[in-house]
Structure formats: C-alpha cells, structure tokens
C-alpha cells in the first residue's frame, strides 16, 4: 500500500498545483472561467454584492454552499454612512489579494519559500472626474502604488523576478493595467 504524503509550500499543495498545470496543458478548455457577482442597491451610497456561483474547469462549480456578501458604502465626506468599504477601496482589496496570490503561486512553483508577505496599497482619485466637473480628469484612479514587504528564502534578484511576475500575471492587476471592454446595458422586466 502506498500513501500519498501531501507536501505543501507556502500553504499550497505542490502536487495538486503541478497536476492542475498539467491538466490545463492537456486541455486548454479547462482554463476558461466565468466569475459572477450580483448587486442590489439599498439606499444612498449603500449597495450589496453577493457572489456564489462560477463556471470553471469545464463545469459549473458546486463547492460553495453559501453566498459571500459584501456591503459597499461610502464615508460621510462622500455622502455615505460608512456602511462598508467603498467600491474603489474594494478594487484595492481585490488587487492586493490577486497580486499576493499570484506571487505565492509562482514562488511555490519555483520552489521558493515565502516566510512573510504584507502589502500596502494607495490609490489617487480626483472627484472632478467622478462628478463630471472637468472632462479632462479621469473618474478612475490616476495612479495606484503597491508596496510589498517580502521575506523569502531566495536572492533579492529572485524576489524582483517574483514581483515582476506577479504584476504581469495577476488577473486583477492585468485588468487594471489595460483597457478592458465593459458592456453596460439596461435589462427590463
């Protein structure tokens, strides 16, 4: 009788990660995912998003038994009541999480142990864009700065390579860094 010993690195099952990569190489259709979110306005700046189902690895996922719910709000200076983080703060949260996860995945696949990792993000927005007060001002972030503090069992050069890899391969970072078509339509009924 042979027993499979789970070997983890950076909290990831190394064999499962390798098997996933080999399965994707063998069938590129397994790499196609569709994530979904639903949102309902409550009042003022408050609205709630629920996330539950998604399609991935060739089928609808059934691993989630409950919805994830996120409350979007605004601080009083932006006419809200601090019901929750605001959407642009959630974008920073999503960006931080995705860059972190991407870095951890690539470090693991390179055999690099990460001992400590923390991230600080700052993003600059000019409300003239949001409010339409100046057509030359973008309503979105003008700049986002990500500072990652990393302690790893590798050289400084390898850490720099991991940072570049995380920026290049993080789906959220890639989405933020390039124009992405967004279709916005009214649904009746």
């Amino acid at each position: 009788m042979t027993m499979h010993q789970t070997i983890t690195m950076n909290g990831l099952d190394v064999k499962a990660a390798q098997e996933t990569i080999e399965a994707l190489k063998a069938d590129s259709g397994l790499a196609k995912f569709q994530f979904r979110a639903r949102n309902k306005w409550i009042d003022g700046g408050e609205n709630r998003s629920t996330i539950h189902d998604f399609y991935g690895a060739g089928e609808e996922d059934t691993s989630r038994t409950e919805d994830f719910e996120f409350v979007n709000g605004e601080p009083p200076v932006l006419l809200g009541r601090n019901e929750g983080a605001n959407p642009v703060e959630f974008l920073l949260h999503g960006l931080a999480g995705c860059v972190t996860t991407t870095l951890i995945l690539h470090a693991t696949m390179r055999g690099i142990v990460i001992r400590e990792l923390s991230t600080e993000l700052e993003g600059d927005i000019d409300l003239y864009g949001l409010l339409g007060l100046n057509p030359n001002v973008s309503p979105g972030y003008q700049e986002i700065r990500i500072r990652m503090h990393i302690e790893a069992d590798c050289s400084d050069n390898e850490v720099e390579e991991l940072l570049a890899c995380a920026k290049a391969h993080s789906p959220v970072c890639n989405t933020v860094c390039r124009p992405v078509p967004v279709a916005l339509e009214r649904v009746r009924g």
Side-chain angles (χ1 to χ4, degrees):
M1 174 188 305
T2 60
M3 297 184 79
H4 168 61
Q5 181 181 2
T6 302
I7 299 171
T8 62
M9 180 180 292
N10 302 321
L12 299 178
D13 181 329
V14 175
K15 185 174 186 212
Q18 291 168 337
E19 288 171 352
T20 298
I21 291 169
E22 291 306 314
L24 294 172
K25 287 179 181 177
D27 182 355
S28 63
L30 295 176
K32 309 298 183 207
F33 277 65
Q34 180 186 76
F35 293 99
R36 305 173 186 123
R38 291 164 184 81
N39 182 276
K40 181 158 179 61
W41 173 67
I42 306 301
D43 186 43
E46 181 181 359
N47 56 84
R48 294 172 189 256
S49 295
T50 57
I51 297 174
H52 185 91
D53 56 329
F54 68 92
Y55 176 88
E59 62 189 16
E60 284 294 320
D61 180 78
T62 59
S63 67
R64 296 175 175 168
T65 59
E66 296 181 27
D67 292 345
F68 296 111
E69 184 174 277
F70 302 94
V71 177
N72 296 287
E74 294 292 344
V77 71
L78 293 175
L79 309 176
R81 296 180 301 275
N82 280 325
E83 305 91 337
N86 71 27
V88 293
E89 291 168 317
F90 272 111
L91 187 140
L92 294 178
H93 166 70
L95 179 57
C98 195
V99 170
T100 297
T101 300
T102 302
L103 187 139
I104 291 295
L105 175 63
H106 283 272
T108 301
M109 297 318 302
R110 294 173 186 202
I112 298 171
V113 173
I114 303 295
R115 289 184 275 113
E116 186 178 323
L117 175 60
S118 62
T119 308
E120 298 169 9
L121 289 86
E122 296 175 338
D124 302 323
I125 288 183
D126 186 333
L127 293 185
Y128 267 51
L130 167 69
L131 298 173
L133 299 174
N134 183 338
N136 298 318
V137 175
S138 169
Y141 279 116
Q142 276 78 51
E143 181 181 20
I144 296 173
R145 292 169 299 284
I146 305 171
R147 291 186 302 274
M148 296 187 94
H149 306 277
I150 303 171
E151 296 293 329
D153 293 339
C154 65
S155 69
D156 287 343
N157 192 38
E158 288 171 303
V159 169
E160 292 302 319
E161 289 174 7
L162 281 174
L163 288 170
C165 183
K167 182 178 180 187
H169 296 285
S170 158
V172 175
C173 191
N174 185 273
T175 300
V176 169
C177 291
R178 67 179 171 85
V180 176
V182 176
L184 178 61
E185 63 184 64
R186 180 181 183 186
V187 178
R188 295 183 185 258

